[in-house]
Amino acid sequence: MFRVTVFEEEIILHIKVDDLTGHQVIELVSEHLHSMTLMSPAESIHALDIERLKKPEITFWSAWDDNELAGCGALKELDSRHGEIKSMRTSSSHLRKGVASKVLQHIIEEAKRRGYQRLSLETGSMTSFEPARKLYESFGFRYCQPFADYTEDPNSVFMTKEL
């Protein structure tokens, strides 16, 4: 559980491993995928749908403020020492409340617990992705070359953090 204080109002986030079957989670992942289609060309969209998020190498978390879904994020194991952040999304009703920071902090802590030495991610290069890039930079992620199966793409940037 994480406490987040926003403008004198404190919300308590409960972050839990999620099986991706609840309607709120399905809606948020669908919203995430839809927004990617509005911001990126199809060949540059690397967001995962519900079925691909259920693969065994991926752990998906949902973050809850009481009974309201506040956000989500996932961790994909690339190998025993390297993980990838996937599907970071904050619910539109919880923007600018620190939800993304808490989910990212949770994923980083889990990656360390697993013994990963590196954590990487892909995100968009467009202006609309600037808040996400700034968040990752604030946690010590640095720009890098494509990793895993990614290739150079003018619509993508790649970031990594040594743990």
Side-chain angles (χ1 to χ4, degrees):
M1 258 204 260
F2 291 96
R3 293 185 187 277
V4 181
T5 304
V6 182
F7 305 114
E8 305 298 322
E9 179 185 342
E10 185 174 74
I11 63 171
I12 298 173
L13 286 182
H14 175 70
I15 299 174
K16 65 177 186 173
V17 172
D18 198 290
D19 65 5
L20 295 135
T21 59
H23 75 279
Q24 289 183 67
V25 171
I26 291 169
E27 287 174 14
L28 185 59
V29 171
S30 295
E31 176 186 314
H32 179 61
L33 290 169
H34 178 69
S35 72
M36 294 300 107
T37 65
L38 300 176
M39 295 185 280
S40 302
E43 66 275 8
S44 298
I45 297 174
H46 302 287
L48 302 177
D49 63 19
I50 293 286
E51 288 312 307
R52 293 191 296 165
L53 284 168
K54 290 180 179 180
K55 291 195 172 189
E57 66 272 17
I58 297 175
T59 305
F60 182 90
W61 289 274
S62 55
W64 297 85
D65 176 12
D66 288 324
N67 293 322
E68 190 175 345
L69 181 61
C72 64
L75 178 59
K76 178 180 180 181
E77 182 170 299
L78 299 175
D79 62 43
S80 63
R81 299 177 357 190
H82 189 189
E84 179 183 3
I85 295 172
K86 300 294 292 181
S87 300
M88 287 282 298
R89 183 71 176 196
T90 300
S91 170
S92 57
S93 63
H94 282 80
L95 292 173
R96 291 173 287 287
K97 293 182 180 179
V99 172
S101 292
K102 295 304 178 190
V103 172
L104 181 57
Q105 179 183 342
H106 182 83
I107 291 172
I108 291 169
E109 289 171 5
E110 176 62 18
K112 288 178 180 178
R113 189 193 67 72
R114 292 181 183 185
Y116 293 169
Q117 295 177 358
R118 186 163 69 122
L119 194 52
S120 301
L121 62 96
E122 177 276 337
T123 192
S125 63
M126 292 72 86
T127 305
S128 56
F129 290 93
E130 188 174 343
R133 293 190 305 267
K134 287 186 181 226
L135 171 69
Y136 297 127
E137 288 171 358
S138 75
F139 275 81
F141 284 83
R142 300 292 169 246
Y143 294 93
C144 65
Q145 295 300 309
F147 60 93
D149 295 331
Y150 292 104
T151 58
E152 287 290 341
D153 180 345
N155 299 299
S156 292
V157 295
F158 305 94
M159 302 179 82
T160 195
K161 176 183 176 66
E162 299 295 323
L163 301 177

